[in-house]
């Protein structure tokens, strides 16, 4: 059973003269009144009574009072907490009449329930740390977030490099008419020399034909003497003529043109190779980027699964990038009502035995949000005792000059005056 306050009686604490309050078991009990009437003193008194000496006000006794502070709180299980006497000594009595002390109170009193502003004013990282400690996934989530951060940074670098490579590749010229490989000048010269050699052989054959024709002429002149030789020469001549008919000289014009243009050709080839290299580099980096994206998504899925499987104080409460998120909003974008819901739910999760929370200065919340927050408290079975600068109908009680408006005002004890010789 979570502990709640059934009844409290306070006398002579700070601005309070005498106040009795019976808070709602579930929901919001609003202590209203104007400024400097004793509203916050009620919350300070509860914190002192239940939280111990660390919450004792620096000037606990009401100014002008001759009677020390008196605090009397009855919890919903019958436990009675009292502070009274000159030293405001603590007295705790359990339902069976057994005496106890602060150690028993610490079992069900959550410190943040007494000092909720401490949580609400903490940084986003501190709030998230508290929540993660509560649900027991802090170390694992920290590890996932570190992996996520490292993968994100690596992917960011790879992505930027891929963009640069793609941009560089697009800017490179491309020559469709250029060969795939660089042209070698020595190879072209070798081909040219082979053609020239073949042409030289053809020329030798032509000169040989010319010599034979000259020789034939001489033989004709010496026909009579050299008839036999003439017949042989005629045979040779016929063979030579037939060979000469099949000879065709090859042109070196194209090779000569290629040799003269070799630098321009190779410039185009290099440009094409550079473009292909840039495109290959861009593809490699883009593949790495896509792979890292999958790794990043996997880590994020693990984070989501970790938080989804954790027993969170509120259905739509989570932690993202080290900050509390509720209904998709960070703390600074949450409504006042949602901030109180988150804070109260976390306090309850910190110590399920603590069924109440103290809230100060609810005048910052409009009536609609106040009503909504109260309904949520009732639905959750939580008790909240709050102050509000107001005297409206939303107030459960109104404090005025240290008293509850409408309650009987006790007589103030008068300081006994002594006269000399009088007994």
């Amino acid at each position: 059973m979570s502990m709640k306050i059934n009844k409290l009686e306070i006398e002579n604490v700070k601005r309070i003269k005498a106040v009795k309050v019976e808070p709602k078991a579930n929901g919001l009990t609003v202590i209203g009144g104007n400024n400097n009437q004793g509203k916050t003193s009620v919350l300070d008194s509860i914190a002192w009574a239940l939280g111990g000496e660390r919450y004792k006000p620096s000037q606990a006794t009401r100014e002008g009072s001759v009677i020390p502070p008196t605090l009397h709180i009855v919890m919903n299980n019958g436990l009675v907490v009292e502070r009274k006497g000159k030293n405001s000594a603590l007295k705790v009595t359990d339902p069976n009449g057994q005496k106890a002390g602060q150690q028993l109170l610490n079992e069900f009193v959550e410190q943040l329930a007494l000092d909720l502003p401490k949580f609400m004013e903490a940084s986003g990282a501190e709030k998230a740390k508290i929540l993660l400690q509560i649900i027991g996934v802090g170390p694992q989530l920290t590890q996932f977030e570190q992996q996520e951060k490292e993968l994100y940074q690596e992917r960011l670098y790879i992505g930027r490099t891929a963009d640069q490579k793609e941009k560089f590749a697009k800017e490179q010229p491309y020559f469709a008419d250029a060969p795939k490989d660089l042209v070698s000048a020595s190879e072209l010269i070798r081909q040219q020399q082979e053609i020239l050699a073949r042409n030289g052989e053809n020329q030798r054959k032509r000169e040989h034909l010319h010599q034979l024709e000259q020789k034939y002429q001489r033989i004709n002149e010496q026909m009579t003497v050299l008839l036999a030789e003439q017949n042989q020469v005629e045979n040779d001549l016929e063979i030579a003529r037939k060979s000469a008919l099949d000879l065709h000289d090859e042109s070196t014009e194209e090779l000569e043109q290629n040799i003269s243009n070799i630098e321009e050709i190779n410039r185009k080839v290099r440009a094409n190779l550079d473009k292909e290299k840039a495109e290959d580099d861009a593809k490699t980096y883009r593949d790495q980027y896509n792979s890292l994206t999958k790794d990043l998504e996997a880590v994020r899925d693990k984070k989501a699964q970790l938080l989804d499987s954790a027993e969170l104080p509120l259905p739509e409460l989570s932690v993202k990038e080290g900050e509390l998120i509720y209904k998709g909003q960070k703390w600074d974008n949450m409504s006042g009502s949602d901030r109180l819901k988150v804070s109260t739910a976390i306090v309850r999760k910190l110590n399920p035995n603590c069924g109440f929370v103290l809230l100060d200065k609810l005048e910052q919340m409009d009536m609609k949000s106040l009503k909504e927050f109260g309904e949520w408290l009732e639905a959750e079975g939580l008790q909240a005792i709050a102050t509000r600068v107001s005297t409206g109908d939303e107030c459960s009680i109104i404090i005025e000059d240290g008293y509850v408006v409408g309650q009987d005002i006790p007589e103030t004890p008068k300081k006994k005056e002594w006269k000399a010789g009088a007994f």
Side-chain angles (χ1 to χ4, degrees), residues 111-175:
Q111 299 299 316
L112 287 180
L114 304 178
D115 188 12
L116 198 62
K118 181 179 180 181
F119 174 81
M120 298 182 72
E121 293 167 6
S123 68
E126 289 172 334
K127 292 188 186 76
K129 184 178 180 181
I130 291 173
L131 176 59
L132 294 176
Q133 288 174 344
I134 294 171
I135 61 180
V137 298
Q140 290 175 280
L141 191 65
T142 299
Q143 181 181 359
F144 286 148
E145 287 186 339
Q146 182 62 28
Q147 290 179 7
E148 180 183 13
K149 183 178 180 181
E150 291 173 358
L151 286 169
Y152 178 82
Q153 292 298 329
E154 183 179 1
R155 189 188 70 162
L156 181 64
Y157 168 75
I158 293 295
R160 288 175 176 172
T161 305
D163 291 341
Q164 292 171 357
K165 293 291 185 180
E166 289 169 352
K167 182 175 181 295
F168 178 74
K170 290 178 181 178
E171 291 174 349
Q172 295 303 301
Y174 185 79
F175 303 95

Side-chain angles (χ1 to χ4, degrees), residues 313-412:
L314 289 172
E316 296 181 78
L317 182 64
S318 184
V319 175
K320 184 177 181 181
E321 297 177 355
E323 288 199 46
L324 286 183
I325 301 294
Y326 182 57
K327 295 181 178 179
Q329 299 296 325
K330 292 185 179 180
W331 183 266
D332 57 350
N333 285 331
M334 293 181 199
S335 67
S337 176
D338 283 346
R339 288 184 184 183
L340 286 174
K341 285 182 184 178
V342 170
S343 303
T344 305
I346 288 177
V347 167
R348 178 179 58 179
K349 190 70 175 178
L350 276 169
N351 188 346
N353 294 326
C354 185
F356 69 92
V357 65
L358 306 182
L359 305 168
D360 198 15
K361 298 182 176 60
L362 286 196
E363 60 269 12
Q364 299 176 2
M365 189 179 293
D366 60 48
M367 295 300 297
K368 180 181 178 183
S369 298
L370 193 69
K371 183 175 181 294
E372 177 186 314
F373 180 55
E375 291 173 348
W376 177 79
L377 287 168
E378 290 186 37
E380 294 293 320
L382 290 168
Q383 179 188 67
I385 303 173
T387 65
R388 180 179 174 87
V389 179
S390 172
T391 57
D393 294 339
E394 76 277 13
C395 300
S396 305
I397 63 170
I398 296 173
I399 303 289
E400 186 176 298
D401 193 25
Y403 296 107
V404 175
V405 174
Q407 287 183 1
D408 294 336
I409 299 176
E411 293 184 7
T412 303

Side-chain angles (χ1 to χ4, degrees), residues 33-96:
N34 295 320
N35 289 320
N36 301 319
Q37 299 301 305
K39 301 182 304 301
T40 302
S41 298
V42 174
L43 302 187
D44 292 343
S45 299
I46 299 172
W48 178 22
L50 300 178
E53 291 299 315
R54 62 189 292 188
Y55 291 99
K56 181 179 180 178
S58 58
Q59 295 181 347
T61 304
R62 179 176 61 82
E63 186 177 353
S65 175
V66 296
I67 301 175
T70 298
L71 304 170
H72 183 91
I73 297 179
V74 180
M75 306 303 294
N76 61 334
N77 69 339
L79 191 73
V80 178
V81 181
E82 296 178 290
R83 284 187 182 274
K84 59 183 178 180
K86 183 178 179 180
N87 297 320
S88 302
L90 174 66
K91 179 182 177 183
V92 180
T93 308
D94 69 18
N96 297 321

Side-chain angles (χ1 to χ4, degrees), residues 51-331:
E53 291 299 315
R54 62 189 292 188
Y55 291 99
K56 181 179 180 178
S58 58
Q59 295 181 347
T61 304
R62 179 176 61 82
E63 186 177 353
S65 175
V66 296
I67 301 175
T70 298
L71 304 170
H72 183 91
I73 297 179
V74 180
M75 306 303 294
N76 61 334
N77 69 339
L79 191 73
V80 178
V81 181
E82 296 178 290
R83 284 187 182 274
K84 59 183 178 180
K86 183 178 179 180
N87 297 320
S88 302
L90 174 66
K91 179 182 177 183
V92 180
T93 308
D94 69 18
N96 297 321
Q98 299 294 318
K99 305 301 181 184
Q102 189 63 50
Q103 185 174 358
L104 175 60
L105 299 181
N106 291 342
E107 292 179 5
F108 68 85
V109 175
E110 170 53 46
Q111 299 299 316
L112 287 180
L114 304 178
D115 188 12
L116 198 62
K118 181 179 180 181
F119 174 81
M120 298 182 72
E121 293 167 6
S123 68
E126 289 172 334
K127 292 188 186 76
K129 184 178 180 181
I130 291 173
L131 176 59
L132 294 176
Q133 288 174 344
I134 294 171
I135 61 180
V137 298
Q140 290 175 280
L141 191 65
T142 299
Q143 181 181 359
F144 286 148
E145 287 186 339
Q146 182 62 28
Q147 290 179 7
E148 180 183 13
K149 183 178 180 181
E150 291 173 358
L151 286 169
Y152 178 82
Q153 292 298 329
E154 183 179 1
R155 189 188 70 162
L156 181 64
Y157 168 75
I158 293 295
R160 288 175 176 172
T161 305
D163 291 341
Q164 292 171 357
K165 293 291 185 180
E166 289 169 352
K167 182 175 181 295
F168 178 74
K170 290 178 181 178
E171 291 174 349
Q172 295 303 301
Y174 185 79
F175 303 95
D177 59 336
K180 292 293 293 182
D181 301 317
L182 292 173
V183 178
S184 171
S186 61
E187 176 63 19
L188 292 178
I189 292 172
R190 185 190 65 78
Q191 294 179 23
Q192 182 189 37
Q193 288 175 344
E194 288 179 355
I195 292 175
L196 290 176
R198 289 194 295 271
N199 290 346
E201 178 65 16
N202 291 343
Q203 182 62 31
R204 186 190 65 76
K205 290 180 179 180
R206 292 188 186 95
E207 289 175 354
H208 179 61
L209 172 62
H210 179 68
Q211 291 172 359
L212 288 176
E213 287 178 339
Q214 288 181 336
K215 188 175 181 180
Y216 176 74
Q217 181 65 33
R218 288 195 301 272
I219 290 173
N220 281 333
E221 293 176 355
Q222 300 173 1
M223 182 69 72
T224 305
V225 179
L226 301 173
L227 181 59
E229 184 179 356
Q230 180 186 24
N231 291 334
Q232 183 63 43
V233 171
E234 284 179 350
N235 292 334
D236 292 342
L237 180 61
E238 185 66 21
I239 294 172
R241 283 174 177 169
K242 289 180 179 180
S243 298
L245 289 175
D246 296 329
L247 295 177
H248 299 283
D249 289 345
E250 298 179 52
S251 173
T252 63
E253 182 179 356
E254 182 178 354
L255 284 172
E256 290 172 355
Q257 182 68 26
N258 287 342
I259 291 173
S260 63
N261 294 334
I262 188 169
E263 286 303 321
E264 176 62 17
I265 293 171
N266 285 343
R267 183 188 68 79
K268 293 180 179 180
V269 172
R270 290 190 186 96
N272 290 352
L273 292 174
D274 288 343
K275 185 177 182 67
E276 291 172 1
K277 175 76 165 52
E279 289 173 345
D280 289 342
D281 288 347
K283 183 179 183 301
T284 299
Y285 279 103
R286 186 57 62 195
D287 291 343
Q288 291 180 29
Y289 180 90
N290 293 335
S291 176
L292 287 170
T293 297
K294 291 180 180 178
D295 294 341
L296 189 59
E297 290 173 351
V299 171
R300 287 173 175 169
D301 287 343
K302 289 179 181 178
K303 278 179 57 183
Q305 291 171 8
L306 181 65
L307 291 173
D308 288 343
S309 62
E311 188 178 346
L312 292 165
L314 289 172
E316 296 181 78
L317 182 64
S318 184
V319 175
K320 184 177 181 181
E321 297 177 355
E323 288 199 46
L324 286 183
I325 301 294
Y326 182 57
K327 295 181 178 179
Q329 299 296 325
K330 292 185 179 180
W331 183 266

